[in-house]
Amino acid sequence: MSVHAQTNEIQLNKTWLTGSCGAVLHDVDIAKGVDQPLFEAIHGALMEHGVIFFRDQDITRDQHKAFGSLFGKLHYHPAAPGPEGHPEILIIHADENSTYSAGQGWHSDVSCDEEPPMGSILRLETVPETGGDTLFSNMYAAYEALSDRMKNLITGMTAVHSGKHVYAGRYNVSADKMVREYPESEHPMVRTHPVTKRPALFVNSGFTTHIVGMKPKESKAVLEHLYQHIALPDFQCRFHWEPSSIAFWDNRCVQHHAVFDYWPEVRHGERVTVAGDKPYYEPA
Ligand code: SIN
């Protein structure tokens, strides 16, 4: 990290994971506090890389939440109650009793919400000896790589995102104890990122159920094509976790997929999620 004396601008020391997305930011210690110039540098890196990573972050729950709050209001998960006194925290845990792990399959977090989260900040405390990586895919690049014909077809169309099939029966919460009802929302299939103004593909195999205005078979065919496209390695990076690593991803332009290849080992951590805005599309 270096500071330009005249402008107070911080140049972060970082390592790109791939040419498509993801960068590890070095020399940042969140526990020491994040002042305005450092906040701007971190936010800039998130906008540039879609997902950023930090190693060796020894922080408390309150410090984790305070870091998230710098980027916006905190989001409350619709289905998973947080630990006592911390309703904004989402526990991510898998062990020998798990038959799945949270975040398996390509998705953008809680895209079923009317205003889906802007970003998610996951810190893992316990990691398996092998495996447990998370994959990320750049949705600007995925959109850009489509043919003009396909871009024209899906731009301006909307799709429905539902939480019911994802959350029903999960988190050991009965329907009457849900934090909120299962959300369902209609979003543009291509959204304009509110900061970068770039178009990004915004359908995901986790939450998107169908395209509005298409016959079921047409909708299925188009969505399946897009899901295969999103999963191409060309748009991805892969992050290998260590204890106290943090990943911070921008749900508006990146999807992720947590690989559950470590059973029966334990993988445990906590996520703070930053609230977002209603997705929209605006021609460039
Ligand atoms: C998630 O979707 O937030 C889980 C990601 C992970 O566990 O790597």
Side-chain angles (χ1 to χ4, degrees):
M1 184 156 66
S2 66
V3 184
H4 285 230
Q6 274 181 337
T7 60
N8 246 3
E9 190 187 313
I10 288 179
Q11 298 292 322
L12 288 169
N13 176 15
K14 64 188 181 187
T15 307
W16 293 45
L17 258 66
T18 66
S20 191
C21 62
V24 180
L25 307 190
H26 306 287
D27 311 326
V28 176
D29 185 350
I30 294 170
K32 286 195 174 147
V34 174
D35 60 11
Q36 188 62 20
L38 182 55
F39 164 77
E40 280 167 22
I42 293 172
H43 184 260
L46 183 66
M47 294 306 104
E48 184 180 353
H49 300 284
V51 53
I52 51 178
F53 307 99
F54 307 86
R55 299 283 187 196
D56 304 317
Q57 298 299 319
D58 191 11
I59 55 172
T60 63
R61 272 188 180 148
D62 285 331
Q63 287 170 326
H64 193 171
K65 290 198 294 188
F67 179 62
S69 299
L70 295 173
F71 297 84
K73 280 194 204 149
L74 298 187
H75 171 270
Y76 291 72
H77 198 277
E84 186 75 33
H86 299 276
E88 318 89 334
I89 299 250
L90 177 72
I91 302 283
I92 300 288
H93 180 90
D95 60 26
E96 60 181 345
N97 300 311
S98 305
T99 51
Y100 67 88
S101 75
Q104 243 183 302
W106 286 105
H107 67 288
S108 173
D109 287 325
V110 201
S111 70
C112 51
D113 264 1
E114 195 63 24
E115 296 183 343
M118 161 265 177
S120 303
I121 307 170
L122 175 62
R123 176 177 180 272
L124 289 192
E125 184 76 44
T126 310
V127 300
E129 197 155 311
T130 39
D133 295 355
T134 308
L135 309 183
F136 297 87
S137 183
N138 177 338
M139 292 301 104
Y140 298 132
Y143 172 76
E144 203 42 55
L146 294 171
S147 67
D148 287 344
R149 289 261 185 201
M150 182 57 91
K151 284 182 192 153
N152 286 338
L153 174 72
I154 64 171
T155 302
M157 294 184 83
T158 58
V160 173
H161 298 233
S162 172
K164 188 165 184 175
H165 63 281
V166 183
Y167 300 134
R170 282 207 180 170
Y171 301 116
N172 293 326
V173 180
S174 57
D176 58 323
K177 294 262 167 52
M178 287 275 299
V179 179
R180 285 189 264 137
E181 286 188 359
Y182 297 117
E184 184 170 292
S185 306
E186 192 175 320
H187 297 309
M189 293 180 67
V190 179
R191 72 182 290 183
T192 301
H193 191 288
V195 179
T196 65
K197 305 295 178 201
R198 294 176 67 192
L201 203 48
F202 197 66
V203 289
N204 67 82
S205 59
F207 292 98
T208 312
T209 55
H210 61 280
I211 298 172
V212 175
M214 277 193 160
K215 294 191 168 172
K217 278 189 186 163
E218 294 170 342
S219 163
K220 190 165 185 277
V222 173
L223 286 176
E224 270 173 12
H225 168 73
L226 292 175
Y227 297 156
Q228 280 177 26
H229 179 72
I230 283 163
L232 288 177
D234 311 48
F235 315 129
Q236 288 177 24
C237 73
R238 181 176 188 127
F239 184 62
H240 183 65
W241 294 89
E242 292 165 8
S244 304
S245 296
I246 286 182
F248 183 177
W249 57 89
D250 183 339
N251 284 298
R252 302 166 298 189
C253 61
V254 160
Q255 291 192 27
H256 58 288
H257 169 72
V259 183
F260 186 35
D261 59 353
Y262 50 90
W263 186 90
E265 288 191 65
V266 177
R267 182 178 183 271
H268 179 90
E270 298 190 351
R271 191 180 93 192
V272 164
T273 310
V274 183
D277 306 318
K278 174 126 189 74
Y280 65 93
Y281 175 72
E282 197 172 75

